């Protein structure tokens, strides 16, 4: 009798172990699988977010060509007067004549006037200054030729002129409203990039004059 009781107890124990094993093999395994799937899903979403940030976030933070300057305002002075209070050399904003200059190429015989062309910057244009004693003739010709072509395009608001004011320490200065780029040698690709970044980015971008005739 004692042996039979022991055998019965052993059978019940084995049955209990088998039932527990079945439960673990079914429900326990499914719960574990779901946790793994959830974890993989979270990792996948994180990877997608990282790719989006790298593609669009970094592009949005890309620096523009040139250096941002202090906004000196846009007050008008009478044509022919001398302005004052400029934070940069050449100026990129501030007091300027009532009448803007025509777009295009200016020469040493008839250079552009800084107090006038600030008005052109206010209308979204680009003004390129060069110091003739610091820039070779071939580079001056390249600049002039490029501007002559540029004023025939939809982005026609461009001026190039020799600089006759205080030395700004570089051969070339490219200006837009509140932006300035110095160059120690002519880099037309960089000039084009400056134009793309800052053209029409000004308080009165729809102002004239119109394209050269």
């Amino acid at each position: 009798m004692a042996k039979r009781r022991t055998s019965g107890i052993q059978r019940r124990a084995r049955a209990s172990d088998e039932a527990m094993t079945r439960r673990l093999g079914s429900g326990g395994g499914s719960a574990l699988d779901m946790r793994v799937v959830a974890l993989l899903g979270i990792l996948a979403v994180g990877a997608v977010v990282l790719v989006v940030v790298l593609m669009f976030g970094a592009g949005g933070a890309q620096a523009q060509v040139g250096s941002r300057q202090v906004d000196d305002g846009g007050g008008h002075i009478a044509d022919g007067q001398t302005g004052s209070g400029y934070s940069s050399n050449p100026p990129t904003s501030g007091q300027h004549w009532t009448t803007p200059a025509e777009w295009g190429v200016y020469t040493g015989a008839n250079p552009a006037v800084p107090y006038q062309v600030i008005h052109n910057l206010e209308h979204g244009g680009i003004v390129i200054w060069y110091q003739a004693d610091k820039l070779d003739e071939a580079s001056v010709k390249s600049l002039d030729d490029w501007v002559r072509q540029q004023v025939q395009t939809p982005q026609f608001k461009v001026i190039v002129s020799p600089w006759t004011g205080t030395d700004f320490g570089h051969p070339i200065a490219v200006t837009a409203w509140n932006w300035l780029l110095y160059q120690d040698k002519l880099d037309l690709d960089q000039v084009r990039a400056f134009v793309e970044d800052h053209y029409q980015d000004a308080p009165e971008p729809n102002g004239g004059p119109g394209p050269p005739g």
Side-chain angles (χ1 to χ4, degrees):
M1 293 293 294
K3 289 182 179 179
R4 283 196 294 272
R5 285 198 297 272
T6 301
S7 298
I9 291 171
Q10 290 174 343
R11 286 195 297 272
R12 286 194 295 273
R14 283 196 300 271
S16 178
D17 289 343
E18 291 171 359
M20 180 63 72
T21 301
R22 285 195 298 273
R23 286 197 296 271
L24 290 176
S26 57
S30 297
L32 179 60
D33 290 344
M34 290 303 296
R35 287 195 294 271
V36 171
V37 170
L39 178 60
L40 291 175
I42 292 170
L43 291 175
V45 171
V48 171
V49 171
L50 178 61
V51 169
V52 170
V53 168
L54 291 175
M55 289 179 63
F56 297 99
Q62 184 176 357
Q64 292 185 292
V65 179
S67 300
R68 182 177 285 279
Q69 305 298 304
V70 174
D71 191 329
D72 294 322
H76 285 189
I77 56 177
D79 292 1
Q81 287 190 346
T82 300
S84 61
Y86 303 112
S87 300
S88 65
N89 185 32
T92 62
S93 62
Q95 294 181 347
H96 55 268
W97 293 2
T98 302
T99 306
E102 296 295 324
W103 310 106
V105 175
Y106 289 74
T107 65
N110 183 32
V113 180
Y115 316 117
Q116 182 177 28
V117 298
I118 294 171
H119 200 156
N120 294 75
L121 301 183
E122 188 180 38
H123 288 178
I126 307 295
V127 178
I128 306 167
W129 300 101
Y130 63 87
Q131 303 200 93
D133 61 341
K134 296 178 181 291
L135 193 65
D136 61 275
E137 292 184 5
S139 295
V140 172
K141 184 178 185 305
S142 294
L143 265 177
D144 289 352
D145 289 346
W146 180 78
V147 171
R148 288 190 183 95
Q149 294 173 3
Q150 188 66 27
V151 295
Q152 303 302 318
T153 73
Q155 292 182 327
F156 61 86
K157 294 184 176 182
V158 182
I159 286 172
V160 62
S161 173
W163 174 255
T164 59
T166 304
D167 184 357
F168 50 76
H170 303 268
I172 301 168
V174 190
T175 59
W177 186 261
N178 290 343
W179 285 89
L180 173 60
L181 170 68
Y182 290 130
Q183 288 189 339
D184 291 322
K185 62 179 180 179
L186 177 61
D187 183 342
L188 280 177
D189 287 337
Q190 191 179 43
V191 173
R192 292 186 188 97
F194 186 93
V195 172
E196 289 297 322
D197 276 350
H198 307 298
Y199 189 84
Q200 294 284 70
D201 185 11
E204 301 174 7
N206 296 321

